[in-house]
Amino acid sequence: MTTSPPARVFTLPDLGEGLTGAEVVAWRVAVGDRVAIDQVVVDVETAKATVEVPVPFAGTVLELHGDAGEVLDVGAPLLTVGVAAADRPAVPAPRANGSGSVLVGYGTEHLTARRRRDRGAAAPATPNGCAASAPARQTPPGDPAAPLVISPLVRRFAREHGVDVALLTGSGPHGVVCRRDVEEAISGAAHPAPSGAGERPGGTERIPLRGVLGSAAEKFAVSGRTPTATAWVDADATGLLEAREVLRAARPARGIGLLALLARICVTGLGEFPELNAALDAGRGEIVRFREVHLGFAAQTDRGLLVPVVRGAHARSTAGLAADLSRLTALARAGELRPGALTGGTFTLNNYGVFGVDGSTPLLNPPEAAMLGVGRIVDKPWVCGGQLAVRKVVQLSITFDHRVCDGRSAAGFLRHVADRVERPTLLLADL
C-alpha cells in the first residue's frame, strides 16, 4: 500500500515595503512538475515591480492557487507541494522567507543573474518586449503549439486589451511575441484579434486600479490634499549644453548627460537649502530633515511612470550619478527594478521636457516635500551681454509643500539651479 507524500502549502510571502498583496503574472511550473528548493515558480506583480518568487522546499507540484491576473493577499496559499522523504533536507537550517533564497528583485544582482543562468531563463527583454534568445523551456507542458510570450509586461498588455496571444504570430527571435505584435493586433493592422476580443460594453473599457496604477492613484490622492505652491523661472541652458558636449568628448565612456548634470545641480542645491530635502511627519507634528539625499527621478516605462531612487546621491560623483541613472532607467523599463528601488526618496527630479512641454505644476511624490521640474530646451530670443541673441532656453520650476518650507527657501533653491544651468562652472565652487 502506497501513501501520498505529505503536502506542504507555500503561501505568498511578505514582499516587503508595506505591500499587502500581489497579482499573479505567470506561473513557471504546472501541476505534476518537480520543483527544487529555491526554484522560481511564479512571477507576481506588486504595486512596485514584477518579482520572481522562489519556493522554499522541494517536491511535486500538487496545486496552483490563483490564475494569471488574480490578486492574492500576503499569507494566502500560493502553491501546494507534495514533499517525499527524499525531498526533505537531512539537516534543517533556518532560512530567510522559509528558504535560502532571497526573493528575486530583493536579493543581490549577482544572485539574480546566477539563478537566471542556472535555470536557462529568457534573455533580457528588448524595448519591444522581445528577447535575444528563447528560454530553455519555451512552452507549457502538453501544449507544444503555445506561443512564446516571454515578457510578463507583454502578457499583461495583451490581457488588458483583450488580445488572445494564442492567435498571434510572434515577430521576435524564435517566434517570440513582442509588444509590437500585440499593438498591431489591437489596431487590426496585422494579426486579427479573436472575435469580440476588442469589444467593450457601451464602447468603454475598464482598467483595474491595481499594481502600479493603484499605487499611483493612492499617492496622487494624498498629494492632491497637500498644500503646495510652484515657482518657476526661465534659464539660458546654452552653457549647460556646451558643458555636456565637453564632458562627452573628454570622457565618452562615462556617459554624462543632461540628467546627470541636473542631478548634480540638485544635490548641491539641497546642500545649501536642506529645508527642501525633508518630509512632514503629521502624526508627530514634526518636520523631518534628511542628512542624506536619496534622489528620485521620473522614468517613463510601459508600466507607466515610475520614480526610481538613486540612494546616497550626495556622495556620488557626476559620473557615478550618470551610471546610476542609466542603470535604474534600464531596469525600470525592463520591469526588473527591486521594489526597494522605488521607495525612500527625499527629493524628486522630474524632467518632463522629454514630453515636449515647457512647464508643469506636478503633484509631489509623498512624503517628499519638493520636486524640481525641467521643461524642454528650445531656441528662444534672449538678451545676452546687452545684445539680442538666439539661445537655448529652459523653464525650471520648483513645487513644494508649504507646510515644510517657505517661498524664500524654494526660490533660493530654484535660483541656485538656474544660476548653475546658465553658468555650470559654478559647480566647481560647490565641490
Side-chain angles (χ1 to χ4, degrees), residues 196-209:
E199 296 177 3
R200 298 290 185 271
T204 62
E205 179 181 2
R206 293 182 178 271
I207 301 174
L209 268 179

Side-chain angles (χ1 to χ4, degrees), residues 49 78 120 160 203 241 314 394 409:
L78 184 63
E160 290 177 346
L241 293 176
H314 61 288
V394 62
S409 297

